[in-house]
């Protein structure tokens, strides 16, 4: 398993050096990293950047997976326009080259452990913009593990909506016999029924029995919307793959951002907890209702804690509980080992003890 970088995430202002139209509704945005920040922005394939901008007077933060490989000169993310989406519409329609953007140092654990001596078969499954971390993983594994093979299954509506279509074709030519890609298109008929429709457990079973029967899988990476990734994950568990082998990255849940959390936390507003937050070497103490979320209350107490999705999908707000107990309403981002070690997503965590100490510096 990839070990999450423990360095505290920080924003730096980086100029946008290139904006490329990848499809009708997706741009890739590249940053060049100044020499003094190169170390801070070193990343693993599969990690993401959190971008921050003031849009219509609002401070907006969103996470975007790196589609570049660590070996490439520029750091690049791809942003697909979501209908009515604040940040993605702004990035596709208003962002220009030269604009400085607040960019948080890379985060995330949706990463393979790349090793030149590996001889593995990786399956990468994504839909729409879910291709972004997958292409970074594919480029890195194919270049750095000469004995490994990569199969990618990508879901899109139409051929024209496939992000990085040409780059993926080029990879096929460069790594003949080690990289295969299958496009599953929902909006275009295909005489091979597996290549038409949406990716779900049945479709993956079909792939496993036909195109993938020759070579057992070692690792599976799933990225995209909740319904697709969760049904795919459950399918791979059902055929005997383990939590260590199946990795999942969610780009969005069925819930709109900022909507009430999935599980109602009904607690007496007068049931208070004494909380201490350790952040950047400083301790801040406050009292909060056990029904509230630690991140929200820490922000009310004046702390500029890092966060992005506030939906339990990224891990930007992660901290370690060092005393007391907190429970998460949802967790789509922390690995089981991290939860066992006491880490929580503070945007989803509410105290269940009368005293709680959380440490953002660990
Ligand atoms: C770890 C992580 C990595 C991500 N990487 C990428 C990436 O590489 N490329 C990319 O384009 N996006 C990526 N996302 C999603 C991205 O962070 C934003 O959520 C997305 O761009 C929408 O933001 P917005 O401000 O435009 O929409 P908002 O204003 O937040 O939302 C507007 C509406 O769109 C819906 N919505 C939000 N997100 C999505 C979505 N992804 N698909 C469909 N509907 C949605 C909301 O429910 C809401 O109704 C990633 C998310 C996470 C957590
Ligand atoms: S801010 Fe994304 S999980 Fe908490």
């Amino acid at each position: 398993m990839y070990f999450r970088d423990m360095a505290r995430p920080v924003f730096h202002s980086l100029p946008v050096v290139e904006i490329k139209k990848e499809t009708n509704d997706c741009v890739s945005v590249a940053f060049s990293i100044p020499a003094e920040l190169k170390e801070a922005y070193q990343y693993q394939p599969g990690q993401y950047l959190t971008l921050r901008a003031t849009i219509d007077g609002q401070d907006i933060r969103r996470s975007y997976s790196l589609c570049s490989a660590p070996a490439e000169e520029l750091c690049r993310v791809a942003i697909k326009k979501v209908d009515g989406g604040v940040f993605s519409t702004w990035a596709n329609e208003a962002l220009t080259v030269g604009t400085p953007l607040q960019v948080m140092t890379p985060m995330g654990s949706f990463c393979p452990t790349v090793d030149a001596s590996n001889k593995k078969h990786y399956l990468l499954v994504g839909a729409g913009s879910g291709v972004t971390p997958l292409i970074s993983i594919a480029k890195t594994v194919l270049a750095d593990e000469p004995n490994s093979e990569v199969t990618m299954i990508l879901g899109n509506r139409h051929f024209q909506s496939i992000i990085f279509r040409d780059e993926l074709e080029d990879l096929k030519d460069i790594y003949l016999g080690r990289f295969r890609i299958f496009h599953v298109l929902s909006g275009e008929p295909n005489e091979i029924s597996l290549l038409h429709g949406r990716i779900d457990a049945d479709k993956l079973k079909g792939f496993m029995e036909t195109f993938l029967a020759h070579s057992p899988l070692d690792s599976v990476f799933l990225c995209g919307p909740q319904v697709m990734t969760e049904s795919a994950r459950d399918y791979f568990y059902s055929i005997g793959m383990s939590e260590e082998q199946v990795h999942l990255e969610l780009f969005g849940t069925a819930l709109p951002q900022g909507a009430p959390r999935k599980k109602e936390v009904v607690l007496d507003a007068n049931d208070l907890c004494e909380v201490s937050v350790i952040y950047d070497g400083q301790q801040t103490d406050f009292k909060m209702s056990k029904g509230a979320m630690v991140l929200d209350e820490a922000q009310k107490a004046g702390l500029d804690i890092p966060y992005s999705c506030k939906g339990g999908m990224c891990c930007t707000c992660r901290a370690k509980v060092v005393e007391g107990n907190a429970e998460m309403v949802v967790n789509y981002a922390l690995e089981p080992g991290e939860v066992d070690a006491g880490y929580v997503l503070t945007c989803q965590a509410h105290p269940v003890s009368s005293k709680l100490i959380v440490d953002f510096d660990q």
Side-chain angles (χ1 to χ4, degrees):
M1 187 180 82
Y2 165 73
F3 265 86
R4 207 182 283 273
D5 183 358
M6 295 300 175
R8 194 168 59 79
V10 272
F11 281 107
H12 295 280
S13 175
L14 300 179
V16 171
V17 292
E18 193 178 89
I19 298 180
K20 236 183 6 194
K21 200 144 180 69
E22 301 287 349
T23 64
N24 267 346
D25 60 0
C26 177
V27 287
S28 69
V29 177
F31 305 96
S32 105
I33 312 293
E36 67 277 13
L37 292 177
K38 286 260 190 250
E39 207 184 319
Y41 282 89
Q42 267 180 8
Y43 63 95
Q44 306 289 322
Q47 287 197 296
Y48 66 87
L49 297 176
T50 296
L51 309 183
R52 179 180 188 181
T54 304
I55 303 171
D56 293 336
Q58 303 275 337
D59 175 22
I60 308 285
R61 303 165 181 216
R62 298 286 185 265
S63 301
Y64 293 98
S65 300
L66 286 140
C67 54
S68 48
E72 290 172 43
E73 178 59 26
L74 297 177
C75 274
R76 191 184 293 275
V77 295
I79 305 175
K80 183 171 169 155
K81 192 166 120 185
V82 163
D83 275 347
V86 177
F87 196 97
S88 62
T89 304
W90 175 81
N92 273 268
E93 294 177 0
L95 183 62
T96 51
V97 169
T99 305
L101 263 188
Q102 291 292 317
V103 181
M104 195 183 274
T105 43
M107 295 201 74
S109 60
F110 184 65
C111 309
T113 308
V114 180
D115 186 321
S117 65
N118 279 346
K119 188 171 191 260
K120 289 187 171 183
H121 184 188
Y122 295 86
L123 175 66
L124 315 179
V125 184
S129 57
V131 66
T132 44
L134 303 182
I135 194 173
S136 177
I137 292 171
K139 286 188 279 190
T140 310
V141 164
L142 290 165
D144 296 352
E145 294 188 0
N147 299 311
S148 290
E149 60 175 307
V150 175
T151 303
M152 194 182 269
I153 302 174
L154 277 189
N156 277 286
R157 198 162 298 162
H158 296 288
F159 198 60
Q160 288 82 345
S161 48
I162 300 169
I163 304 168
F164 309 128
R165 196 175 69 207
D166 293 343
E167 199 178 349
L168 291 165
E169 284 304 306
D170 290 348
L171 280 185
K172 237 171 40 179
D173 296 339
I174 298 168
Y175 299 104
L176 264 184
R178 288 208 294 128
F179 179 59
R180 297 185 307 158
I181 181 158
F182 298 95
H183 293 292
V184 179
L185 302 176
S186 59
E188 290 184 20
N190 196 304
E191 56 196 34
I192 304 171
S193 62
L194 264 186
L195 303 182
H196 174 71
R198 289 182 191 281
I199 299 172
D200 57 15
D202 281 348
K203 184 102 24 218
L204 291 168
K205 184 168 180 284
F207 272 103
M208 290 298 284
E209 288 166 357
T210 52
F211 300 116
L212 295 171
H214 74 290
S215 164
L217 300 175
D218 297 290
S219 288
V220 176
F221 288 81
L222 309 164
C223 184
Q226 189 171 15
V227 175
M228 186 279 276
T229 47
E230 292 188 350
S231 83
R233 178 196 57 194
D234 294 346
Y235 167 69
F236 287 111
Y237 285 166
S238 79
I239 60 166
M241 294 190 78
S242 65
E243 277 182 358
E244 284 70 37
Q245 289 176 296
V246 183
H247 309 265
L248 185 147
E249 185 85 313
L250 273 192
F251 277 8
T253 63
L255 282 178
Q257 222 145 37
R261 272 70 173 193
K262 203 164 145 190
K263 198 170 76 182
E264 281 293 312
V265 182
V266 187
L267 287 165
D268 185 347
N270 297 320
D271 196 359
L272 296 180
C273 173
E274 282 179 28
V275 178
S276 301
V277 168
I278 300 162
Y279 177 62
D280 212 6
Q282 303 281 324
Q283 179 170 324
T284 306
D285 303 324
F286 53 88
K287 278 191 183 157
M288 64 177 276
S289 153
K290 287 183 184 172
M293 300 300 156
V294 172
L295 175 66
D296 294 340
E297 297 305 307
Q299 287 180 319
K300 282 184 201 158
L303 289 168
D304 186 18
I305 301 282
Y307 71 90
S308 177
C309 72
K310 282 203 173 180
M313 290 176 288
C314 66
C315 53
T316 319
C317 64
R318 165 190 180 269
K320 188 171 185 177
V321 173
V322 291
E323 194 182 317
N325 291 299
E327 276 178 7
M328 285 182 280
V329 178
V330 293
N331 164 33
Y332 303 113
L334 293 178
E335 305 263 342
E338 289 175 290
V339 176
D340 292 346
Y343 288 95
V344 290
L345 301 170
T346 53
C347 73
Q348 296 296 317
H350 62 92
V352 289
S353 51
S354 51
K355 185 160 173 55
L356 180 73
I357 306 180
V358 289
D359 188 345
F360 282 84
D361 295 342
Q362 288 199 42

